[in-house]
Amino acid sequence: MDTNLQKDDFTGTIKFVPPLHKQRYQFIKDLVIKYKPKKVADLGCADCTLLRMLKFYKCIEVLAGLDIRENRLFNFERFRRHTLSPLPGDYLQPSERSLTVTLYHGSIAHEDPCMLGFDLVTCIELIEHLEATELEKFPKVVFGFMAPAMVVISTPNSEFNPLLPGVTLFRHSDHNYVLYIALAVEAATRYDYTVEFTGLGTPPPGTEDVGFCTQIGVFRRKYPKNGETVSSEKPTEHAYKTVFKAVYPSLKDEKYLQNAVVSEVIFGAEIMKQRLLGNFKSEDMEHSDGLQMQLKFQPFKYFLMCSKNHSPVEAEKLATDRSMEPFIDGNTVYIPLTKIFSIPKVNQLCGTIEKLSKLIDGKVALSNDGSAVIVTIEYEDEEQEN
């Protein structure tokens, strides 16, 4: 922390590098990396900077932001919604995780069931802006009603003010370190949480008793031993207004999963077809001169060359042999599903060959018994004649 403290010799002003607001965001990101929460809510989300950062963390499946200032949320919805919305690339390559981002307009003094079940709730530089009545209700709403697994509360320390001359501050006189600790300990005790105190912005040497410039409390819930959910008897009335919602495409949605699998299968089958055609043409040209050498080192290629005249029924029977490699019969390429399933991406997406068969059924041409993907060969000379 000490390395982040710098002093401008000309103005005498203390500066933090990187700035404290960036350090606060990094503090939350470090917690996300360590504890991997699935559901995160930011109370007092303002311009949604923190939410925009957190949407890239693969462990998070639900992001929610709450702010009482409707004009800020309105401006975000109007001008910056794209920063939290899915991009074209998200639809082209859907993520394996699901992600929903929602913004709410409302007061922290009100209870709403949309804020139940969260793993992490952040209150970054929020409580210093609350009115007395809101601040009084804050512990009951956050710790008693929401009851997340973890709560992070940061607030400025007014005792640091004398060390920052000439800086416009928003540190109220009652935001001192001792009072903050007392209130935090009381809330933790009443609502069955443990609390760990830390902060950002170390004071200069000799002034350590002032405390951090930004004081932080990390609260962790002591879960009930009987295993009952904390929100089992919560009311269902909604007090917040939804102003923005984005649902990202995900491979957990079978529609997107099917599209991804079909795309991989078609691409993989086309590659296999081109490889077989290349082998077939080279063998056809060298048949008279090097047949014995090809049979010795590449027996499968010889099978391809000799498999032109099977009847459709015979070809189907060959395709059902799961030990069989892809082969050409006339103008059709047969690629057993086991071969398709061996494609790493297809294997990863499907998990089982039965699921692969189900997902591509009706989307990809299959043999009559469904055991092989079939691809038709279009010869150039035939196309020119037509």
Side-chain angles (χ1 to χ4, degrees):
M1 291 293 184
D2 293 338
T3 57
N4 293 327
L5 182 64
Q6 295 183 0
K7 187 172 182 180
D8 190 316
D9 295 332
F10 182 74
T11 62
T13 302
I14 292 177
K15 295 182 179 180
F16 297 100
V17 181
L20 278 183
H21 72 278
K22 291 187 177 181
Q23 292 188 44
R24 289 191 288 267
Y25 294 142
Q26 188 60 51
F27 184 88
I28 300 299
K29 290 191 287 184
D30 290 342
L31 284 178
V32 168
I33 293 172
K34 182 176 181 179
Y35 293 101
K36 296 178 172 50
K38 290 185 177 181
K39 298 181 65 176
V40 180
D42 184 27
L43 309 183
C45 60
D47 62 356
C48 303
T49 299
L50 180 58
L51 296 179
R52 293 200 302 272
M53 294 177 178
L54 295 182
K55 77 172 188 174
F56 296 104
Y57 288 81
K58 296 184 182 299
C59 61
I60 297 178
E61 297 181 357
V62 175
L63 276 175
L66 173 69
D67 206 289
I68 196 173
R69 292 166 290 187
E70 190 172 12
N71 60 326
R72 277 210 173 194
L73 293 175
F74 174 79
N75 289 334
F76 174 87
E77 166 70 10
R78 187 175 179 183
F79 300 110
R80 305 185 70 179
R81 62 178 299 167
H82 65 279
T83 61
L84 286 180
S85 299
L87 299 174
D90 294 314
Y91 291 96
L92 293 173
Q93 292 185 324
S95 172
E96 293 184 10
R97 59 142 181 185
S98 58
L99 175 62
T100 301
V101 183
T102 312
L103 300 182
Y104 300 100
H105 171 241
S107 169
I108 190 59
H110 299 146
E111 300 176 351
D112 191 301
C114 69
M115 286 294 173
L116 294 175
F118 280 81
D119 302 304
L120 171 63
V121 167
T122 61
C123 309
I124 307 303
E125 311 298 271
L126 168 66
I127 61 175
E128 67 271 17
H129 299 291
L130 299 179
E131 300 293 336
T133 54
E134 294 174 321
L135 188 59
E136 182 180 356
K137 295 178 180 179
F138 177 84
K140 180 177 181 294
V141 173
V142 175
F143 297 104
F145 176 76
M146 295 181 184
M150 182 182 296
V151 181
V152 178
I153 301 175
S154 78
T155 187
N157 178 13
S158 65
E159 296 182 14
F160 210 97
N161 290 1
L163 303 177
L164 300 171
V167 179
T168 303
L169 300 175
F170 296 94
R171 291 176 168 82
H172 299 183
S173 58
D174 59 348
H175 294 158
N176 61 75
Y177 193 53
V178 176
L179 179 59
Y180 173 69
I181 291 180
L183 294 174
V185 169
E186 180 185 355
T189 303
R190 177 179 299 180
Y191 296 103
D192 202 21
Y193 279 78
T194 61
V195 58
E196 176 185 350
F197 296 104
T198 182
L200 299 169
T202 308
T207 61
E208 289 84 358
D209 58 329
V210 170
F212 295 105
C213 188
T214 291
Q215 51 206 14
I216 299 176
V218 180
F219 301 78
R220 294 181 180 85
R221 181 172 181 81
K222 302 173 184 177
Y223 287 97
K225 294 182 180 179
N226 58 12
E228 294 179 1
T229 56
V230 215
S231 58
S232 56
E233 298 180 358
K234 301 298 182 182
T236 56
E237 295 80 6
H238 290 275
Y240 303 154
K241 175 185 176 183
T242 302
V243 297
F244 172 85
K245 186 172 184 178
V247 179
Y248 281 65
S250 166
L251 293 177
K252 291 185 177 181
D253 185 328
E254 187 158 320
K255 176 182 67 175
Y256 293 110
L257 175 60
Q258 184 179 52
N259 290 341
V261 170
V262 168
S263 176
E264 291 294 333
V265 168
I266 292 176
F267 179 76
E270 183 65 25
I271 293 297
M272 292 181 189
K273 182 190 82 171
Q274 295 301 330
R275 287 176 178 171
L276 291 179
L277 286 176
N279 292 338
F280 179 82
K281 290 177 181 178
S282 64
E283 284 172 353
D284 201 25
M285 294 170 59
E286 299 173 4
H287 180 262
S288 58
D289 298 327
L291 178 59
Q292 295 302 320
M293 186 63 68
Q294 291 183 49
L295 285 174
K296 182 177 180 180
F297 293 103
Q298 302 172 352
F300 175 60
K301 291 186 176 182
Y302 180 69
F303 165 75
L304 292 178
M305 185 175 61
C306 297
S307 63
K308 284 186 173 183
N309 300 316
H310 289 104
S311 69
V313 175
E314 292 172 326
E316 292 281 345
K317 289 181 179 179
L318 287 172
T320 61
D321 184 351
R322 294 201 166 190
S323 66
M324 186 67 66
E325 292 287 331
F327 68 92
I328 301 172
D329 188 79
N331 67 337
T332 304
V333 177
Y334 290 82
I335 307 173
L337 279 191
T338 49
K339 194 68 175 179
I340 294 292
F341 188 65
S342 68
I343 300 173
K345 186 65 175 178
V346 173
N347 187 289
Q348 177 187 358
L349 291 172
C350 299
T352 66
I353 196 167
E354 289 75 18
K355 188 170 184 179
L356 166 63
S357 178
K358 177 184 175 182
L359 288 172
I360 65 175
D361 185 30
K363 301 291 183 180
V364 176
L366 297 174
S367 57
N368 289 338
D369 62 359
S371 65
V373 172
I374 57 176
V375 184
T376 302
I377 303 172
E378 297 179 358
Y379 294 103
E380 295 181 1
D381 54 345
E382 293 177 357
E383 292 178 354
Q384 292 173 358
E385 290 175 7
N386 293 335

